[in-house]
Amino acid sequence: MSDPSAAEKPARKNTTTAEETAPVKTTASKAAAKKATAARKPALPEKAAPKPPTTTRPRKPESRTALVRRARRINRELAEVYPYAHPELDFENPFQLIVATVLSAQTTDLRVNQTTPALFARYPTPEDLASANPEEVEEILRPCGFFRAKTKSVIGLSKALVENHEGEVPGRLEDLVKLPGVGRKTAFVVLGNAFGRPGITVDTHFQRLVRRWRWTEETEPDKIEAAVGALFPKSEWTMLSHHVIFHGRRICHARKPACGACPIAPICPAFGEGETDPEKARKLLKYEKGGFPGQRLKPPQAYLDAGGVPAPPLGAAG
């Protein structure tokens, strides 16, 4: 017997729709599709990394007149900051000064000042040092470094003073530079500070700062001396040297200048080479502005009045 309801039901077709047959996209296949699409697109150029900001002032062309004015203004500013600037070698006469200056090569004025009291106590005159036992002098000068070469220089210098200048330090440049161990730098230190005759002392601090300030691009000391000397009246040369050297030792250091504590920052073309944050810069200050002793064991009274502290003698604690 047949089921009457079977005739009423339509025959089911054995077919499927396109939607039913299409594969289902998984998360992995979607990611692969995106990668394929991205690969077909042209690559965009990468943005260049931003340059770090700099506080160093850009170099601008400067006329000769502008250079002279700027250099002299810097010197005036430094004169106000260091009115007590002075040679930082202890000496009581020209002989002590010339010997101390010869000994200061490749060491600090402080180390020389700590060493020369014993030397001058034992050999107070050129005659005494000229006839000294080299081994005994070497032992005294050992803390200065290069003590054998320096012993030879100061004994030879003393002999030349005795034999050629009656035991007196000459007051002329042409005579001074002929003495053993004496070059133009030493000669100008002696002329300016023992005889009151103007001279420019081109030491390492002076060379570094005048090039930083773009007073000159020369690298040889005699050429630096000539270039800088032409910017100033001759009468200012000696004190100019003291101002620049004082500033180089105290604020405008070789490796990390204290730019943020520098009194000439507004007019310095090298501002930004060192620490510009005022608080951090103050921690870099040396000598009287940082609470440390200066170079001399017996500094001028003006230095002490300004808050300077005498250096400790050789072997002192701390």
Side-chain angles (χ1 to χ4, degrees):
M1 183 172 176
S2 61
D3 187 358
S5 62
E8 296 176 359
K9 292 181 181 180
R12 181 170 295 180
K13 295 179 180 180
N14 190 21
T15 59
T16 57
T17 65
E19 288 182 358
E20 290 174 332
T21 58
V24 178
K25 291 183 179 179
T26 64
T27 304
S29 62
K30 288 180 181 179
K34 286 184 179 180
K35 287 183 180 180
T37 304
R40 289 194 296 270
K41 291 182 179 179
L44 296 176
E46 294 184 0
K47 291 184 179 180
K51 294 181 179 180
T54 177
T55 53
T56 305
R57 290 168 185 153
R59 192 164 203 166
K60 296 180 181 179
E62 186 175 38
S63 68
R64 176 71 179 180
T65 301
L67 170 60
V68 171
R69 288 175 178 171
R70 182 170 62 85
R72 294 185 182 185
R73 182 182 173 189
I74 287 177
N75 187 40
R76 289 195 300 270
E77 295 283 347
L78 295 181
E80 292 183 7
V81 178
Y82 310 112
Y84 45 81
H86 57 273
E88 293 196 89
L89 288 168
D90 282 322
F91 69 98
E92 295 178 359
N93 53 56
F95 172 64
Q96 290 187 0
L97 178 58
I98 196 170
V99 169
T101 307
V102 169
L103 295 177
S104 68
Q106 305 298 318
T107 190
T108 63
D109 287 358
L110 171 58
R111 179 59 65 181
V112 174
N113 291 337
Q114 293 173 326
T115 305
T116 51
L119 180 70
F120 295 139
R122 187 156 187 175
Y123 310 106
T125 68
E127 290 81 2
D128 296 322
L129 192 51
S131 59
N133 182 335
E135 293 181 358
E136 294 177 357
V137 177
E138 286 179 3
E139 194 58 34
I140 295 174
L141 299 185
R142 188 178 292 272
C144 285
F146 302 97
F147 57 92
R148 291 189 179 89
K150 291 181 179 181
T151 294
K152 184 178 179 180
S153 292
V154 296
I155 289 179
L157 165 65
S158 300
K159 288 180 178 179
L161 292 177
V162 173
E163 295 170 2
N164 303 325
H165 301 282
E166 299 180 351
E168 299 291 334
V169 176
R172 298 193 312 163
L173 176 64
E174 54 267 36
D175 293 328
L176 287 168
V177 295
K178 293 178 182 178
L179 297 171
V182 177
R184 290 180 68 86
K185 185 196 86 167
T186 298
F188 281 126
V189 169
V190 174
L191 289 173
N193 299 288
F195 294 100
R197 297 174 185 172
I200 292 178
T201 303
V202 184
D203 72 348
T204 55
H205 300 288
F206 194 94
Q207 292 186 51
R208 181 177 75 252
L209 267 62
V210 299
R211 286 175 57 80
R212 260 185 191 164
W213 296 336
R214 298 175 189 163
W215 289 2
T216 180
E217 294 183 354
E218 299 291 351
T219 56
E220 297 178 17
D222 57 338
K223 292 182 179 180
I224 292 174
E225 175 196 320
V228 174
L231 302 176
F232 296 89
K234 192 173 182 178
S235 59
E236 297 181 12
W237 287 357
T238 299
M239 286 309 299
L240 167 70
S241 300
H242 294 327
H243 296 153
V244 174
I245 293 170
F246 253 58
H247 191 61
R249 283 177 171 161
R250 286 151 176 77
I251 295 179
C252 197
H253 311 138
R255 294 186 180 178
K256 197 168 186 181
C259 294
C262 180
I264 63 168
I267 55 175
C268 178
F271 178 79
E273 288 187 10
E275 179 58 66
T276 57
D277 180 84
E279 289 299 323
K280 293 180 180 179
R282 273 193 284 273
K283 295 179 181 179
L284 300 174
L285 300 182
K286 295 182 178 180
Y287 306 130
E288 71 275 13
K289 292 185 177 298
F292 301 103
Q295 300 274 301
R296 293 184 69 163
L297 278 69
K298 298 178 180 179
Q301 188 61 44
Y303 178 75
L304 298 174
D305 293 342
V309 181
L314 189 65

